[in-house]
Structures are given as structure tokens and as C-alpha cells.
Amino acid sequence: MSRYEVTFRVNGEERRASVRGEATLLRTLRELGHLDVKTSCEAGDCGACAVLLDGEAVNACLVLAAQADGCEIVTVRGIGTEGNLHPIQRQIVEKGGVQCGFCTPGIVVAAKALLDRNPAPSPEEIRRGLAGNLCRCTGYQKLFEAIAAAAQEMRG
Ligand code: FES
Ligand code: FES
């Protein structure tokens, strides 16, 4: 079975791994200890495993680890931490957009990608930006409101 030596940066830190050709980025990140990247469907359906890969939101379960060689990866912990929440995270908390929290890392990553490319999204654009993320708890409306509020806050 072929193995590949891969090197990428995760939240600014260089990480190396020896991976099999079929190893997904999701499993590799979690084996490296990045448990903030959630694993659920592993089929590209839920968005729980979303990370930024060279600035684009991707489902890490659909990317091979070998494809990420040389890439810059940002997980939810690279966007903000408990002690230093990003406006997206703070607004999601303040607007009541977290219940079980399982979807939240992927939601934050998708919202960050959206606001990076479109700092003033319309309600419809926010809905489309989260179209790949499933949340079984909140009903989405609070998440949409939180992202709109974060966008406004970030624009000052
Ligand atoms: S675990 Fe990757 S999209 Fe669901
Ligand atoms: S808060 Fe539970 S799945 Fe979204």
C-alpha cells in the first residue's frame, strides 16, 4: 500500500504525516489531534468537517490528505478560541445559534469563508453560504441572524 509523506500548515503550525493514498484529510487531521474538526457523515452531506483549505471552505472528508500537501489549513480553532472569540462565534452564541454544538465548527468555517469573499452578504447569500451545513437543532434562523450581525460588526 503506497504511503505519502505530507506536510501542511494547520492554524499556522507545520504538521507532517505519513498517510495512505486513500486517507482523507478529515481522518488525518483528527489523528494529528485536531478534534475540533468534527466527523459525521464522511460523505460530504453535513458540513461538520469543514475547514479552510488555502482560504476555501471544503469538506475535509472529501479531500485526500495527500491532496492537501503544501496547503494552508484553518480549522475552527484557527478562527477564534474560547478566550478570543471571532465575531462570528460570539454572535452565534449571543443569538442562541448553538444547542448541541456539533455542527458549530463547520458553520463557523463556512461563515468565515462567506464573509471573507463577501463582507456584506444578503440574507439569500447567507442562506446559500450555509447550504452545505446541516444543523439538527437550531432551525437555522438564529444562525442566519448571527452571521448577518457578525458581518455588520466586522464592517464596523
Ligand atoms: S463529515 Fe464531512 S460532510 Fe459530513
Ligand atoms: S446545534 Fe446541534 S446540530 Fe447544530
Side-chain angles (χ1 to χ4, degrees):
M1 189 78 64
S2 303
R3 294 191 78 88
Y4 301 86
E5 305 303 315
V6 297
T7 304
F8 39 64
R9 292 175 71 80
V10 184
N11 302 334
E13 284 187 21
E14 187 172 288
R15 306 304 308 262
R16 295 169 186 271
S18 175
V19 298
R20 293 207 309 265
E22 72 274 19
T24 64
L25 180 60
L26 170 60
R27 291 203 173 191
T28 302
L29 286 171
R30 288 181 61 86
E31 282 166 13
L32 289 170
H34 296 284
L35 301 180
D36 53 322
V37 186
K38 298 302 176 198
T39 182
S40 182
C41 69
E42 296 195 67
D45 291 330
C46 75
C49 64
V51 297
L52 298 177
L53 185 68
D54 287 342
E56 295 290 328
V58 298
N59 288 328
C61 66
L62 296 184
V63 176
L64 295 175
Q67 292 176 296
D69 189 32
C71 291
E72 191 77 39
I73 295 162
V74 176
T75 73
V76 70
R77 281 194 183 278
I79 294 173
T81 60
E82 291 89 351
N84 186 24
L85 292 179
H86 187 278
I88 294 169
Q89 294 167 310
R90 197 178 57 257
Q91 290 289 353
I92 287 176
V93 172
E94 288 179 3
K95 296 277 186 294
V98 183
Q99 289 186 41
C100 80
F102 193 82
C103 68
T104 310
I107 299 270
V108 171
V109 167
K112 176 76 165 59
L114 170 66
L115 299 187
D116 283 349
R117 66 175 183 274
N118 181 359
S122 67
E124 178 55 31
E125 287 168 332
I126 292 174
R127 283 173 186 271
R128 272 194 265 123
L130 290 198
N133 296 78
L134 297 182
C135 174
R136 302 185 69 128
C137 304
T138 68
Y140 299 102
Q141 190 55 40
K142 291 173 180 172
L143 292 168
F144 298 151
E145 290 169 8
I147 292 164
Q152 193 169 26
E153 179 182 336
M154 290 163 68
R155 291 196 307 273

